[in-house]
Amino acid sequence: MIKKSLYLKIVGTFISVVLISIVVSYFITPFSFQQEDIFQEEISKITSGVADLVEITRPENIPYLVDTFDDINFDVLIADESSVFYASQNAPMNITDSTIKSIINKSNREPQMLKHGRDPVRTVGVPITLAGKPYALIIQIDYEDEFDDLQQGIFISLLLVLLVGSLLILLASRYLVNPIRKLTIAAKKVATGDFAVRVKKKRNRNLDEVGELITSFNHMASELEKLDQMRDDFVSNVSHEIQSPLTSIKGFTKALRDDVIPIENQKEYLDIIHQEIERLSRLSDNLLRIASLDSEHHPYNPSSYRLDEQLRNSVLTTEPQWQRKKLQIILEVEPVEIYADEDLMEHVWLNLITNAIRYTPESGEINISLNITEDEIKVLVKDNGIGIPQEAIPNLFGRFYKVDQSRNRSVEGNGLGLSIVKKILSIHNFNIRVDSKEGIGSTFTVIIPTQTK
Ligand code: ADP
């Protein structure tokens, strides 16, 4: 429907414009004949030419000469004050004596306009001398035929424009309307959930508005496709993360219930069940946090507070974990204030320190330090753990991303921690950088611009 109406609108507009032009020009053309300037020069030339011809012709031959003028719609009257010397068939006979007198008495050959109205006939007079006697030569020129020819010519050319133009516009509007029709079909497909659809674009269309529209549409479709893919991945990742602890809980509880496990090993199995439940609980905490951070209305309450104290507290909070692994924690901080959401930032430090503990073997070392310059405060969390392969670094902050899926099961991660860290930092307009070497260790640097204070 849209296609048809746009198509018809373009064709209709063109045809109406040409039709209006035809009608207007048909009525306007006659007015150009009243523009005397157009005629003056031509009439002047013709009249003096005819006057010269008449003067050099012998008086008895003048009727023959004038007869030939008749064929070209010239009518001639030669008269003096008292009599008509010669008058052609349609010569203007209603010229008064005084007019004739005034023409004869003219000192130059400048033609004198005798009358002109709306009709395309012009009458002019010039003085001539025949056999030594002064006469008035009156010439009547009829432009009727020229006028008709001109009007017809304009009419025919406009009709041709209408015909050829209509044909061309029929073809051209297809070229204009086709991409819009394709876009409509594609938009309908997107509305039904088919995000793989793309509209093909001709090369020469790249720069015009329709080309831009197609580019934007394709971009929108690909973004929707990515979002859709992300949603699918998210659902399957969540299901997977829930499924694996549930499977082990199910297996171990069944074994306990069926008395398959000797009494002395039961506590060990209950510990595993407890760990799996904790894992599920962490997953649900993280999922809730992600949902809250993703929503427009997540709480964000920034204030000025002491960053060094917050880092010290985070180290204390994680003490049981690093003590258990006999890690050495070195905290090198000096008093400094930042302006940020204290609760959210605490989550960032806990996450980075927990990761450092998780991915550093026993007796390793974790170094937490500050680097303060005029423009920014850098917080470095450095470990000498297993490190991260270079190719994994760009994906590190993706949801559910784990460098080594199999290894991760034993270290309790769910791949959400760094994505939450990144989200919190981007809410604050803070940045994070990762430098890491496999087998050597990793440094996570949080960059806090001081202008945000
Ligand atoms: P997880 O809960 O699995 O730790 P994160 O999002 O916090 O999830 O981290 C994503 C992945 O990045 C981890 O699975 C781990 O492979 C890697 N990683 C994060 N921090 C470190 C670190 N300090 N040393 C080595 N690898 C790390």
Side-chain angles (χ1 to χ4, degrees), residues 282 286 351-360 381-383 385-389 392 395-405 407-408 411-421 434 436 441-444:
R282 264 197 313 276
N286 279 341
N351 231 299
L352 294 181
I353 298 170
T354 312
N355 274 351
I357 298 168
R358 257 185 212 161
Y359 302 105
T360 303
V381 180
K382 185 175 174 215
D383 63 58
I386 59 172
I388 302 158
N395 305 317
L396 220 52
F397 299 96
R399 286 176 185 176
F400 293 105
Y401 182 79
K402 299 170 193 170
V403 173
D404 183 343
Q405 301 282 337
R407 183 189 70 195
N408 208 267
V411 286
E412 305 165 344
N414 53 35
L416 287 174
L418 285 179
S419 73
I420 293 173
V421 164
V434 186
S436 187
S442 317
T443 306
F444 285 78

Side-chain angles (χ1 to χ4, degrees), residues 175-176 179 201-215:
Y175 170 78
L176 289 172
K201 192 166 66 167
K202 292 218 173 87
R203 227 177 245 179
N204 52 358
R205 271 218 175 274
N206 277 2
L207 296 171
D208 66 11
E209 287 84 347
V210 180
E212 243 174 66
L213 184 63
I214 294 175
T215 311

Side-chain angles (χ1 to χ4, degrees), residues 4-276:
K4 265 193 178 166
S5 73
L6 184 60
Y7 187 61
L8 289 182
K9 263 184 202 163
I10 296 172
V11 177
T13 310
F14 172 79
I15 292 177
S16 330
V17 166
V18 177
L19 275 178
I20 292 169
S21 316
I22 290 177
V23 173
V24 170
S25 60
Y26 190 78
F27 286 108
I28 276 185
T29 322
F31 287 100
S32 66
F33 279 86
Q34 284 158 39
Q35 301 262 291
E36 284 310 312
D37 303 350
I38 304 173
F39 292 99
Q40 244 358 307
E41 203 183 338
E42 196 198 350
I43 287 173
S44 170
K45 273 188 201 156
I46 292 171
T47 322
S48 43
V50 171
D52 289 346
L53 264 178
V54 170
E55 276 181 335
I56 58 167
T57 308
R58 285 212 228 137
E60 63 269 26
N61 289 335
I62 288 176
Y64 303 114
L65 171 75
V66 173
D67 268 357
T68 55
F69 293 160
D70 207 31
D71 298 341
I72 49 168
N73 293 328
F74 277 19
D75 290 301
V76 173
L77 172 76
I78 302 172
D80 65 10
E81 279 166 76
S82 49
S83 63
V84 170
F85 175 77
Y86 174 79
S88 66
Q89 210 175 7
N90 299 312
M93 300 310 289
N94 52 349
I95 311 292
T96 61
D97 287 349
S98 62
T99 315
I100 291 180
K101 193 178 172 188
S102 78
I103 296 170
I104 291 174
N105 289 340
K106 269 172 75 89
S107 53
N108 56 25
R109 271 281 176 90
E110 201 52 40
Q112 182 178 333
M113 276 291 175
L114 296 185
K115 67 170 185 172
H116 64 81
R118 285 189 169 259
D119 56 71
V121 177
R122 298 289 180 277
T123 311
V124 282
V126 276
I128 55 166
T129 313
L130 284 182
K133 275 177 71 188
Y135 284 92
L137 170 68
I138 318 281
I139 304 169
Q140 185 174 274
I141 309 166
D142 190 348
Y143 281 105
E144 182 95 44
D145 288 351
E146 282 84 352
F147 171 73
D148 285 349
D149 287 353
L150 183 69
Q151 210 172 16
Q152 219 177 359
I154 293 174
F155 194 68
I156 288 171
S157 25
L158 285 173
L159 270 181
L160 270 173
V161 169
L162 179 68
L163 252 166
V164 177
S166 302
L167 273 175
L168 288 178
I169 206 83
L170 272 169
L171 296 173
S173 17
R174 252 175 221 290
Y175 170 78
L176 289 172
V177 175
N178 264 357
I180 296 175
R181 196 195 49 167
K182 280 187 199 158
L183 272 169
T184 315
I185 296 170
K188 281 184 185 154
K189 280 191 183 164
V190 167
T192 59
D194 176 4
F195 302 124
V197 62
R198 296 287 180 279
V199 179
K200 273 200 193 116
K201 192 166 66 167
K202 292 218 173 87
R203 227 177 245 179
N204 52 358
R205 271 218 175 274
N206 277 2
L207 296 171
D208 66 11
E209 287 84 347
V210 180
E212 243 174 66
L213 184 63
I214 294 175
T215 311
S216 308
F217 177 88
N218 286 343
H219 181 66
M220 179 196 76
S222 83
E223 288 301 305
L224 283 173
E225 196 179 21
K226 269 189 222 157
L227 267 178
D228 196 45
Q229 184 60 43
M230 269 166 68
R231 196 194 54 194
D232 286 353
D233 290 350
F234 191 79
V235 171
S236 82
N237 278 322
V238 170
S239 316
H240 176 77
E241 289 294 324
I242 292 173
Q243 198 54 48
S244 35
L246 280 182
T247 309
S248 54
I249 292 170
K250 199 170 144 196
F252 291 133
T253 44
K254 189 172 184 295
L256 285 167
R257 189 195 60 195
D258 296 348
D259 289 329
V260 181
I261 297 157
I263 301 249
E264 61 274 21
N265 291 346
Q266 279 188 0
K267 197 174 169 302
E268 192 188 322
Y269 281 82
L270 280 170
D271 273 349
I272 299 174
I273 291 170
H274 181 76
Q275 274 172 25
E276 295 293 7

Side-chain angles (χ1 to χ4, degrees), residues 331-345:
L331 183 68
E332 292 169 314
V333 291
E334 56 205 272
V336 64
E337 275 201 351
I338 60 163
Y339 183 74
D341 185 313
E342 204 170 345
D343 287 345
L344 290 179
M345 288 309 286

